[in-house]
Amino acid sequence: MTNKDKNPNIIIILADDLGYSDLGCYGSEIKTPNIDSLGNNGIKFSQFYNQARCSPSRASLMTGLTGHQAGVGQLSGDLGAPGYRGFINNECVTVAEVLKQKNYDTYLSGKWHLGGAWDPREKEKWQAGTDNHPTPKQRGFDDFYGIMDAASSFFRPESLMDGDKFVDVDDPDYYFTDAMSDKACEMISRSMNKENPFFLYLSYTAPHWPLHAKPDDIAKYEGKYLKGWDYFRTARHEEMKGLGIVDSKWDISPRDSDVGDWEDAKYPDWEDSKMAAYSAMIDSMDQGIGKVIDSLKTNNQFENTLIFFMSDNGGCAELMREDGDWSNTSQWETNLINGEPVRVGNIPNLRPGPGTTFQSYETPWTNVSNSPFRLFKRWIHEGGISAPLIVHWPNKINEPRVESEPLHIMDIPATSIDAAGASYPNEFNGNKIKPLEGESFLNLLSNKWSREKPMYWEHEGNQGIRKGEWKLVKEYGGDWELYNMNDDRTELNNLAGKEKERVKEMSTEWESWAKISNVLPWPVDPNVMAKRLEGDHSHIHQHRGPTAVQIAEGKGKFLYCLLYTSPSPRDS
């Protein structure tokens, strides 16, 4: 009997900036039949939480710690403090490193974003594999195909690596979503030649901006969204209630205050084209997941493969300003293979989709993605941290269902390690390792289980704690708000004024957690932190453009500096 018969293969599939209601099996009109099949034949979790932003969520997903504990509390820029270095530290182990000790083959196809700040202008100087620029191959993965950075063109991605080497794209038919899906299938097939089980981390960049999609996929959705954002928010909410994803007693949150009436939209056809491109990106990702499923079935591994599917944060409301300062985004203006220039920004009536454009879908459609919740990626309100989670494992899950037990993204590696029968180490490569924060919910797949620890969040000054049915949350610069998640998960009835003792108790718990978890008051200025460090400061990444303080105090919604941050206050 081989290890493939004894231990399950494990696949973690991560979507990028996918909203809570963007899947068909979570209420969406977008076509996701392959993901829906996993959900409808597995477990769909309705109260799964991430870390509100891409790289902190990825840090938790890979290590079972909070992003701050792993060294990635904000983004990939090095802000000088232990919790904000922008790369995973040596006080943690990745799930790949742990599973390697159990003789798993380990593969990553897609986005890494845990290796420090990427600057395309310093590509030749960028030392991949150093402590502050670790690649997946330095952190437990046998092979890697994907990007080091947060985002890139889908037709000609920058920071693209194959193994340990940077590679350029010279294929006019290249599309990154397809490439990483195909590479994942190759990795599975390669593992079939061995006796070891495999661990695959399939980390998509879809549907993160830019809105790049193939014409045939876009054509499926053109014209669909001319009914407007209010129609689809309501339609999704009603569908989710029917599916049992949300409780019918939770009213949908009001349309976001920054969003106007659809009837007043200046460019309705353009708005429709943005959402059509966004939907096409999700559709293409689903097609790729179908290929992965087929690969498992072809190799008789589908029944014994534990598959997780989730998103790293809520939908993204970031605006690509057509009149923005692109001094930090030269990689986005890279000429295409045919020599055509890229027009960066949300330029009215410039239809998104081709590689010659670089746009986002903005707040109104993001409000649809996160239906029925408030706010977006970066915030700790439900719209920022709630995501779909699907778990599929035929050998373990006997009855498909919707599960309402709250889970955290750091529980995924803990569960993977448990399923593999591996042991989490106290030391690794001579380094003392922080205790695992995540909790294994393996028993929940077939029995009852509840998480023991509260959940805590901090991102760019936005803060939160969930303890049982109670959630305490606040925006950067605001006051604590208290909600009962059983009665009011859409956060419409703030009970802070009526439950002052509970607010005091929970906020004190949050402060205690922050002190031991490398959390610092926001903003964390790298220029200040550099002066506090002793000895050589050469590891501090040179800060380009505005400081974190200046950006955090900025007015209006604009594209965040890719390496650092964007304004957290809702002041536009």
Side-chain angles (χ1 to χ4, degrees):
M1 182 175 290
T2 68
N3 281 334
K4 289 189 186 296
D5 298 313
K6 295 178 181 178
N7 296 99
N9 308 303
I10 300 171
I11 300 179
I12 293 176
I13 305 175
L14 184 67
D16 198 346
D17 288 5
L18 181 85
Y20 184 74
S21 68
D22 276 336
L23 300 176
C25 61
Y26 276 75
S28 176
E29 71 292 337
I30 301 172
K31 297 177 175 65
T32 55
N34 295 297
I35 300 172
D36 294 350
S37 177
L38 295 176
N40 294 333
N41 292 286
I43 302 177
K44 293 181 288 186
F45 289 85
S46 62
Q47 297 197 66
F48 172 71
Y49 292 106
N50 49 49
Q51 293 275 55
R53 196 75 171 270
C54 41
S55 43
S57 285
R58 282 168 169 75
S60 281
L61 181 60
M62 285 293 97
T63 68
L65 304 176
T66 68
H68 299 86
Q69 290 172 326
V72 190
Q74 193 248 346
L75 279 173
S76 55
D78 191 342
L79 304 186
Y84 303 85
R85 299 301 307 278
F87 53 88
I88 52 175
N89 56 40
N90 290 325
E91 295 179 345
C92 65
V93 287
T94 68
V95 62
E97 288 171 326
V98 176
L99 295 187
K100 285 294 293 180
Q101 310 308 305
K102 199 67 176 176
N103 296 320
Y104 270 72
D105 298 328
T106 55
Y107 305 104
L108 197 166
S109 181
K111 172 176 169 178
W112 178 231
H113 204 201
L114 297 176
W118 160 260
D119 189 335
R121 294 164 295 188
E122 297 182 354
K123 183 174 181 178
E124 300 304 320
K125 300 179 183 178
W126 208 79
Q127 297 296 313
T130 57
D131 281 348
N132 56 340
H133 292 307
T135 71
K137 292 198 70 173
Q138 274 72 53
R139 295 310 305 253
F141 288 93
D142 295 327
D143 199 8
F144 166 55
Y145 177 85
I147 61 170
M148 296 294 293
D149 204 0
S152 193
S153 167
F154 282 72
F155 297 100
R156 195 175 186 181
E158 287 278 356
S159 77
L160 181 64
M161 298 188 77
D162 192 347
D164 281 325
K165 296 181 179 179
F166 287 106
V167 294
D168 293 321
V169 172
D170 57 4
D171 180 358
D173 296 323
Y174 183 93
Y175 186 63
F176 189 34
T177 300
D178 292 346
M180 69 179 82
S181 299
D182 292 342
K183 184 64 70 170
C185 293
E186 291 177 17
M187 291 169 171
I188 291 171
S189 296
R190 191 187 317 160
S191 182
M192 293 303 101
N193 296 323
K194 306 175 184 180
E195 291 190 353
N196 299 335
F198 69 82
F199 166 63
L200 170 64
Y201 176 30
L202 179 49
S203 179
Y204 285 103
T205 53
H208 192 296
W209 49 256
L211 295 175
H212 283 173
K214 295 176 292 184
D216 288 348
D217 291 330
I218 294 175
K220 300 176 187 178
Y221 300 95
E222 287 181 316
K224 176 183 286 289
Y225 293 99
L226 289 172
K227 293 180 179 179
W229 34 73
D230 285 339
Y231 172 86
F232 285 99
R233 286 195 79 222
T234 301
R236 288 190 182 190
H237 184 223
E238 291 302 314
E239 184 69 16
M240 296 167 87
K241 289 191 291 185
L243 292 170
I245 299 296
V246 299
D247 196 312
S248 59
K249 68 184 176 185
W250 302 334
D251 292 332
I252 191 171
S253 62
R255 182 204 305 150
D256 190 81
S257 60
D258 288 343
V259 180
D261 291 334
W262 172 254
E263 290 72 18
D264 295 331
K266 292 183 179 180
Y267 309 99
D269 289 336
W270 178 54
E271 293 291 349
D272 169 77
S273 72
K274 287 192 291 183
M275 192 60 186
Y278 178 84
S279 299
M281 295 169 74
I282 296 172
D283 191 312
S284 180
M285 175 178 64
D286 182 79
Q287 294 173 46
I289 291 171
K291 293 180 182 179
V292 171
I293 292 172
D294 288 343
S295 181
L296 292 172
K297 290 180 177 179
T298 299
N299 290 287
N300 297 316
Q301 295 299 316
F302 188 61
E303 301 293 316
N304 194 38
T305 298
L306 169 58
I307 301 175
F308 301 94
F309 176 92
M310 73 210 78
S311 178
D312 61 349
N313 43 247
C316 175
E318 291 155 355
L319 164 66
M320 310 288 287
R321 274 182 48 179
E322 67 272 18
D323 58 348
D325 174 10
W326 306 110
S327 60
N328 285 312
T329 59
S330 61
Q331 75 269 35
W332 301 336
E333 297 172 332
T334 302
N335 286 344
L336 298 186
I337 295 167
N338 60 6
E340 293 183 69
V342 179
R343 298 182 67 186
V344 181
N346 289 1
I347 302 168
N349 288 329
L350 177 64
R351 296 179 70 81
T356 51
T357 66
F358 208 103
Q359 301 186 35
S360 63
Y361 75 147
E362 295 187 55
T363 304
W365 295 119
T366 310
N367 207 191
V368 173
S369 289
N370 294 341
S371 179
F373 300 130
R374 293 170 52 197
L375 296 178
F376 318 101
K377 168 184 174 180
R378 296 186 7 249
W379 279 272
I380 309 303
H381 287 74
E382 293 293 284
I385 59 176
S386 298
L389 169 66
I390 291 168
V391 180
H392 184 275
W393 187 7
N395 281 359
K396 189 76 172 182
I397 299 172
N398 297 322
E399 294 186 12
R401 69 184 192 273
V402 175
E403 177 57 63
S404 61
E405 282 290 340
L407 298 177
H408 194 282
I409 195 168
M410 67 174 64
D411 299 334
I412 302 296
T415 305
S416 300
I417 292 168
D418 192 6
S423 298
Y424 185 84
N426 296 318
E427 294 186 2
F428 189 78
N429 286 342
N431 299 304
K432 187 175 181 180
I433 302 301
K434 292 182 181 295
L436 190 65
E437 284 287 326
E439 300 181 24
S440 171
F441 58 90
L442 188 62
N443 288 338
L444 185 57
L445 303 188
S446 54
N447 297 295
K448 292 184 177 181
W449 174 91
S450 294
R451 203 172 194 276
E452 294 182 0
K453 303 175 186 176
M455 302 179 189
Y456 303 91
W457 295 270
E458 190 281 336
H459 187 70
E460 295 184 353
N462 299 314
Q463 303 168 5
I465 171 177
R466 174 156 181 185
K467 188 176 181 181
E469 64 187 298
W470 294 97
K471 179 183 175 186
L472 191 69
V473 62
K474 70 175 176 180
E475 295 186 49
Y476 174 51
D479 296 325
W480 284 112
E481 303 166 23
L482 180 69
Y483 301 99
N484 185 295
M485 292 287 99
N486 288 349
D487 298 333
D488 177 32
R489 195 174 167 211
T490 48
E491 299 171 314
L492 302 180
N493 184 21
N494 180 8
L495 301 175
K498 298 179 180 178
E499 296 271 359
K500 294 182 179 179
E501 285 301 313
R502 192 181 301 276
V503 171
K504 181 178 179 181
E505 174 190 332
M506 293 179 69
S507 63
T508 300
E509 286 192 46
W510 186 93
E511 293 289 348
S512 298
W513 165 80
K515 289 179 182 178
I516 63 173
S517 299
N518 294 337
V519 176
L520 294 178
W522 186 258
V524 178
D525 191 328
N527 301 309
V528 173
M529 294 308 303
K531 295 178 182 178
R532 296 182 184 178
L533 295 177
E534 297 180 359
D536 182 15
H537 304 333
S538 61
H539 61 281
I540 299 295
H541 183 82
Q542 182 178 354
H543 200 68
R544 297 179 180 275
T547 67
V549 175
Q550 291 170 325
I551 296 173
E553 293 177 348
K555 300 295 181 183
K557 284 183 179 173
F558 58 93
L559 172 67
Y560 75 96
C561 174
L562 182 61
L563 305 183
Y564 298 98
T565 184
S566 58
S568 187
R570 291 170 51 77
D571 51 14
S572 59

